[in-house]
Amino acid sequence: MAALGARCWAALPTRLRQLWALPVRRALAADAGDGKAAQARPAFTDEAVQALLYKMTGLDLHKVFRPVKKGLKPPHYKLMTEAQLEEATRKAIEEAKTKLIMPPVLKEREPIDDVLAEDKVLEGTETAKYVFTDLSYSIPHRERFIVVREPNGVLRKATWEERDRMIQIFFPKEGRRVIPPTLFKDENLGTVFQQDRHEDVLNMCIAQFEPDSPDYIRVHHRTYEDIEKHGKYDLLRSTRHFGGMVWYLLSRKKTDGLLIDMINRDLLEDATSLITLYHMLHPECQSAKEAKDGKLQGVDLIKVFVKTESQREGYIQLALQAYEEAMATSSAS
Amino acid sequence: MVQLGSCLLRGRGGNVVIRFALGGCTNRPFFRIVVANSRRPRDGKYLEQLGCLDPLPNAHGEKVAGLNLERLRYWLGCGAQLSRPAEKLLGLAGFLPLHPMTVTAAERLRRQRQREQQPEASPADSTAGPGTDTAPGTDTAP
C-alpha cells in the first residue's frame, strides 16, 4: 500500500523533506514529469524563493525570543566580556533561525475513497461501524492501515479525518487534540482576530492539523485575508508565518498593502525582494518584461511595478514620495 | 528475553492463545487483545498485549479497535491459537477471512426478522395466500 497522495510530496527537495520529517524520495524515472512542472512555475520550496522570503521575514531578536508564558523563575544574570557577548548573540541568532523555519505550504489532500471488500451478508447485524487501526510501532503514520467496517458490510479505508483522529488517540502528539477546538470554526476566528492574536491562532493550527488538510489551509487563508484587510502585516513579521503569508498574497496578486507597509517602514530591500518574487511567480506580466529588459534595481523597479501592476497606485506613489523626502532630509542634515 | 510459555506447562499442557481480556468498570466493558497461556485466568498475567477493543460506540458512532499486526503475525508464526471472538474480530477487520459463524449468525438473524415480520403481515393481510415466503437468497455454501 503506497503512501497515499504521494504525488504532492514528490516536488520537495531533499533538505526540506528531511527537515519536515517526510520520507526522502528515491530517484525514480517517473519523477521526470514533476521536474518540468516545477521549472515552469516556481514552487514555495525553491531555494531562491525561500531565500527571498526568509530575507523579508526579518530577524527581530526581541520579538522572536519574547517572554513565553511559563512557570515563574527569578531572572538569571551573567557577567560577560565583549567577546562572550558577541558569542552569545551569535548563538541566539542561530537559535532564532531554527525558530523561523517556515511551515510547509501544500495543496489540499485528495479524499480517500477506496473499498477493500463488500460483504452483503453482514448487512443489518451491527448498529455501529468498527474502526481498526494498525498499531505497529515502526510504520510512518502516512502508511498506516486504518480501515472501517460499516454496518452494511463494506470494508473501506478510513477518511482523512478518521485517520487523524485514530492516530491522535493511539499515538498522541503534544499540543494536538482528538477533536479540534471550536476556536477554528469560522465564526470564532473573527473574535480572536479582533484581539490581534493571529500568530497564536497560526501556531495552534500548525500543532492541531496536518499541513495538507483542508482545515489547515482554510484557517491560514482566513488569517491572511484578515491581515491583508486591516493591514496588520507587522504582526507576522519576524515569525515563521511571514513567508507563507507573502506567498499567499503573491499568488493572488494582493501585494499593494504589503508594499505600502514596507515603504512606510523604510524597508526598501524587502520591497524590491517582494517585486522580484512577484516577477518570478508571474513572468508574463508587463512589469516583469520591462524589468528584465532594463535590468532595473531598487526604487526604479518599484516605480515600474507601481505603474503597471498595482491597483492602489496613488497610495504607493505618496508613500514613495514621503520616503524620498525623508531620505533627502536625513542625508542633508 | 526468555519466553516462559513452555515453563508454565507443568506436565498438564496448555498453549499460547490470543484472546480478549475484559477490563473497565460496571456497565463499561473494555477488552484488551492479549497473548497469554490458555491456563491463566482471563484477566491474569499475559505475555504481550496486541491491541484493544472498545465495544461501546463513541461520539462519532464508531467502535474503536487497535491491532498490532506486526506482533500478531509474529505470535501466529510461533503457533498461537486464536479464540473465537478474536477470530471474528480479525475477520471483520479483514486480516483473516470472514468467520463462517459470523455469516451464519447474520443469516439466522435475517431469517428471524423475516419470521417476525410475517405474523404482522398475515393478520393485516387477510387475503394473503399460503405464505409469500421468499427464501433468503440462494445460499452459496463456501
Side-chain angles (χ1 to χ4, degrees), chain B residues 39-100:
Chain B
R39 295 169 62 223
R40 284 276 184 195
R42 180 195 67 193
D43 298 339
K45 190 166 157 184
Y46 50 80
L47 297 165
E48 190 179 342
Q49 181 178 352
L50 299 181
C52 56
L53 164 68
D54 181 7
L56 300 186
N58 66 5
H60 300 268
E62 42 196 42
K63 296 184 187 174
V64 173
L67 302 161
N68 192 336
L69 295 177
E70 189 195 323
R71 294 302 294 168
L72 189 64
R73 268 183 234 127
Y74 166 78
W75 282 108
L76 289 174
C78 283
Q81 302 293 315
L82 286 164
S83 69
R84 198 165 298 147
E87 275 180 351
K88 287 183 176 171
L89 188 73
L90 292 175
L92 281 183
F95 186 70
L96 295 177
L98 211 51
H99 198 270

Side-chain angles (χ1 to χ4, degrees), chain A residues 119-139 145 147 149 155 162 165-166 169-170 179, chain B residues 50-53 57-58 60-70 89 91-94 98 102-103 105-107 109-110 113:
Chain A
D119 296 304
K120 289 281 178 269
V121 263
L122 294 177
E123 196 149 350
T125 48
E126 295 283 341
T127 46
K129 47 185 170 170
Y130 281 90
V131 181
F132 297 99
T133 316
D134 183 8
L135 301 181
S136 314
Y137 195 67
S138 53
I139 336 174
F145 281 99
V147 295
R149 175 76 76 172
L155 185 68
E162 287 166 351
R165 243 187 310 123
M166 290 301 126
I169 288 174
F170 288 111
I179 300 171
Chain B
L50 299 181
C52 56
L53 164 68
N58 66 5
H60 300 268
E62 42 196 42
K63 296 184 187 174
V64 173
L67 302 161
N68 192 336
L69 295 177
E70 189 195 323
L89 188 73
L92 281 183
L98 211 51
T102 321
V103 176
E107 286 172 0
L109 191 66
R110 197 169 298 142
R113 282 200 188 132

Side-chain angles (χ1 to χ4, degrees), chain A residues 15-164:
Chain A
R15 176 185 72 87
L16 283 169
R17 290 180 84 86
Q18 280 162 352
L19 203 54
W20 293 332
L22 296 170
V24 175
R25 169 178 58 170
R26 292 181 191 86
L28 286 176
D31 284 335
D34 290 304
K36 264 187 254 162
Q39 276 159 25
R41 196 171 177 279
F44 184 69
T45 48
D46 289 348
E47 297 286 340
V49 172
Q50 284 281 313
L52 282 170
L53 286 172
Y54 179 71
K55 212 166 53 134
M56 276 199 272
T57 307
L59 192 70
D60 183 6
L61 286 173
H62 286 285
K63 190 170 175 188
V64 172
F65 288 115
R66 71 162 174 268
V68 172
K69 278 191 184 148
K70 275 186 191 170
L72 273 178
K73 268 189 292 187
H76 183 65
Y77 296 102
K78 275 188 197 166
L79 197 60
M80 287 192 203
T81 61
E82 278 286 333
Q84 281 174 336
L85 185 64
E86 276 168 23
E87 177 70 25
T89 325
R90 196 182 56 77
K91 272 200 204 147
I93 292 176
E94 292 291 327
E95 258 188 59
K97 279 189 186 157
T98 50
K99 282 198 173 187
L100 288 179
I101 292 169
M102 292 177 221
V105 173
L106 302 164
K107 281 196 213 118
E108 212 173 296
R109 57 195 178 192
E110 308 278 340
I112 305 175
D113 201 10
D114 202 0
V115 169
L116 300 172
E118 291 194 26
D119 296 304
K120 289 281 178 269
V121 263
L122 294 177
E123 196 149 350
T125 48
E126 295 283 341
T127 46
K129 47 185 170 170
Y130 281 90
V131 181
F132 297 99
T133 316
D134 183 8
L135 301 181
S136 314
Y137 195 67
S138 53
I139 336 174
H141 289 320
R142 290 266 159 173
E143 287 164 33
R144 214 168 267 286
F145 281 99
I146 302 183
V147 295
V148 176
R149 175 76 76 172
E150 298 273 357
N152 60 0
V154 157
L155 185 68
R156 60 168 175 87
K157 287 189 189 166
T159 58
W160 282 110
E161 291 79 34
E162 287 166 351
R163 282 189 71 89
D164 286 339

Side-chain angles (χ1 to χ4, degrees), chain B:
Chain B
M1 185 193 123
V2 177
Q3 299 296 346
L4 298 175
S6 52
C7 300
L8 288 169
L9 286 180
R10 288 190 207 131
R12 283 286 185 281
N15 47 325
V16 169
V17 283
I18 300 174
R19 62 188 183 191
F20 291 174
L22 179 64
C25 307
T26 315
N27 292 321
R28 200 344 174 170
F30 185 82
F31 295 104
R32 281 164 295 150
I33 301 161
V34 129
V35 188
N37 188 289
S38 61
R39 295 169 62 223
R40 284 276 184 195
R42 180 195 67 193
D43 298 339
K45 190 166 157 184
Y46 50 80
L47 297 165
E48 190 179 342
Q49 181 178 352
L50 299 181
C52 56
L53 164 68
D54 181 7
L56 300 186
N58 66 5
H60 300 268
E62 42 196 42
K63 296 184 187 174
V64 173
L67 302 161
N68 192 336
L69 295 177
E70 189 195 323
R71 294 302 294 168
L72 189 64
R73 268 183 234 127
Y74 166 78
W75 282 108
L76 289 174
C78 283
Q81 302 293 315
L82 286 164
S83 69
R84 198 165 298 147
E87 275 180 351
K88 287 183 176 171
L89 188 73
L90 292 175
L92 281 183
F95 186 70
L96 295 177
L98 211 51
H99 198 270
M101 285 309 293
T102 321
V103 176
T104 316
E107 286 172 0
R108 282 177 188 167
L109 191 66
R110 197 169 298 142
R111 244 173 269 144
Q112 191 194 7
R113 282 200 188 132
Q114 279 185 340
R115 246 177 275 137
E116 274 162 20
Q117 273 174 6
Q118 251 138 52
E120 291 164 14
S122 48
D125 192 13
S126 55
T127 55
T132 49
D133 184 5
T134 53
T138 48
D139 289 289
T140 51

